[in-house]
Amino acid sequence: DAKTTQPNSMESNEEEPVHLPCNHSTISGTDYIHWYRQLPSQGPEYVIHGLTSNVNNRMASLAIAEDRKSSTLILHRATLRDAAVYYCILRDVTGYALNFGKGTSLLVTP
Amino acid sequence: SQTIHQWPATLVQPVGSPLSLECTVEGTSNPNLYWYRQAAGRGLQLLFYSVGIGQISSEVPQNLSASRPQDRQFILSSKKLLLSDSGFYLCAWSVLWDRGNTEAFFGQGTRLTVV
């Protein structure tokens, strides 16, 4: 399975933009890039996903490199409620694989 | 709309006792179903997934088993719990045959403590 690499932790100031990187150099052409986040003591929550083009939704934006070997989750204005562990995951064409790595722990400070 | 129910929210069980965690999904048919475990301070580990009634795939050999007796019901079991079975157990579902293009939905989890 193609794997992802993320920094263990990042810190941001409230109301500042946050760019969370993810490397996936062995991604296959049919792998979708998914992002989830997990707040303490809760189940993961879907954030955004994409295949080749950049994607925007009400929660975040996803910027995908042209060669698809890396991507960046962008939170446009971090709030204290955005403090969570963010997971970058590749889902293959079968849709079965949903393997979480260690993710990035985002700390948001006032 | 679709919802996922997982219970109980917390559970304290003695070593050697049996376990049964239940997960049900409403508002969809033929979902992919998943069981995950998260040990304290660790990432999420995929334990089992199922693409249909009676079809279970195990990702990690362990002291646990899973069953899917009905389309939208997924059960995680153990005959004899070990201390190492403690953790946060999560059930999830996604659309079958979505080719990776839709999100997965997670329950609120069961925190199991084996004493």
Side-chain angles (χ1 to χ4, degrees):
Chain A
D1 291 341
K3 299 203 181 295
T4 63
T5 304
Q6 300 177 252
N8 289 333
S9 62
M10 291 184 64
E11 190 170 338
S12 173
N13 294 321
E14 198 176 10
E15 299 192 3
E16 295 280 324
V18 182
H19 290 234
L20 297 165
C22 181
N23 288 320
H24 28 79
S25 59
T26 60
I27 190 171
S28 75
T30 53
D31 284 340
Y32 282 84
I33 302 161
H34 286 245
W35 284 82
Y36 288 77
R37 71 180 186 181
Q38 186 178 23
L39 279 65
S41 299
Q42 294 189 26
E45 173 189 30
Y46 167 81
V47 177
I48 199 166
H49 78 282
L51 184 62
T52 57
S53 302
N54 295 344
V55 184
N56 300 294
N57 66 21
R58 62 175 182 82
M59 291 182 69
S61 295
L62 175 61
I64 301 173
E66 193 169 340
D67 62 6
R68 299 206 333 123
K69 293 186 177 182
S70 65
S71 61
T72 302
L73 178 70
I74 302 166
L75 306 179
H76 296 287
R77 290 180 69 227
T79 69
L80 297 178
R81 291 191 299 271
D82 291 323
V85 178
Y86 286 79
Y87 297 97
C88 171
I89 301 162
L90 301 181
R91 292 198 76 196
D92 66 16
V93 67
T94 66
Y96 300 158
L98 194 62
N99 293 304
F100 288 77
K102 295 183 179 179
T104 297
S105 180
L106 175 65
L107 176 65
V108 180
T109 53
Chain B
S1 63
Q2 303 92 354
T3 56
I4 179 168
H5 301 281
Q6 188 180 344
W7 67 92
T10 60
L11 192 59
V12 180
Q13 292 283 102
V15 168
S17 65
L19 173 73
S20 181
L21 301 180
E22 188 165 343
C23 171
T24 59
V25 179
E26 295 178 357
T28 188
S29 299
N30 303 316
N32 283 335
L33 294 172
Y34 306 85
W35 277 112
Y36 288 85
R37 176 173 61 197
Q38 189 170 35
R42 307 287 295 276
L44 286 101
Q45 180 185 36
L46 179 61
L47 302 175
F48 301 95
Y49 70 87
S50 171
V51 300
I53 296 174
Q55 301 180 61
I56 309 295
S57 295
S58 173
E59 291 292 299
V60 180
Q62 65 235 308
N63 185 40
L64 302 169
S65 62
S67 62
R68 184 170 176 173
Q70 300 180 44
D71 180 44
R72 291 169 291 173
Q73 183 185 30
F74 207 22
I75 297 172
L76 183 70
S77 304
S78 174
K79 292 182 179 178
K80 288 186 178 182
L81 283 169
L82 307 172
L83 288 174
S84 57
D85 292 323
S86 294
F88 190 43
Y89 287 82
L90 288 152
C91 180
W93 76 272
S94 69
V95 174
L96 188 64
W97 306 122
D98 65 356
R99 303 181 69 82
N101 193 24
T102 61
E103 65 260 44
F105 301 89
F106 286 79
Q108 288 304 301
T110 295
R111 189 161 302 281
L112 171 67
T113 304
V114 182
V115 297

